[in-house]
Amino acid sequence: VLAQRVAARFPTPPRVTDVRFVTTQRARWGSYSPRTGIIRLHAALRQLPPWVLEAVVAHELALRVAHALRGLVPRFVDATRP
């Protein structure tokens, strides 16, 4: 529910199908797969205040939005050059 609420704040909400707490992530707090819509979060986040969990979810979703936009910038610049 938290992840869907966070996603709903985006102008074009990313699809979130599931949130999984995992113990296999060694170097990351979270990850998001736009292909499956699954957010994976480090299990240690369960012990932290809810606002931390919300911030990590927002960060993971924002990275995907930024990644998608990165390809648009060069095309926009090319299209607007005289």
Side-chain angles (χ1 to χ4, degrees):
V1 175
L2 171 80
Q4 284 84 1
R5 278 198 329 251
V6 171
R9 294 183 200 151
F10 285 78
T12 302
R15 180 175 64 106
V16 176
T17 59
D18 193 18
V19 176
R20 299 179 184 169
F21 287 93
V22 298
T23 57
T24 55
Q25 290 189 262
R26 302 279 181 229
R28 296 180 179 190
W29 285 109
S31 62
Y32 169 67
S33 170
R35 185 178 60 80
T36 63
I38 296 173
I39 297 174
R40 293 171 33 118
L41 300 169
H42 194 289
L45 287 169
R46 289 182 179 179
Q47 306 301 316
L48 299 176
W51 66 267
V52 175
L53 179 60
E54 185 174 344
V56 172
V57 169
H59 172 80
E60 293 305 325
L61 295 175
L63 284 175
R64 290 300 156 195
V65 171
H67 179 72
L69 291 176
R70 188 171 39 210
L72 296 176
V73 173
R75 287 188 290 177
F76 173 77
V77 170
D78 289 343
T80 56
R81 282 190 182 147

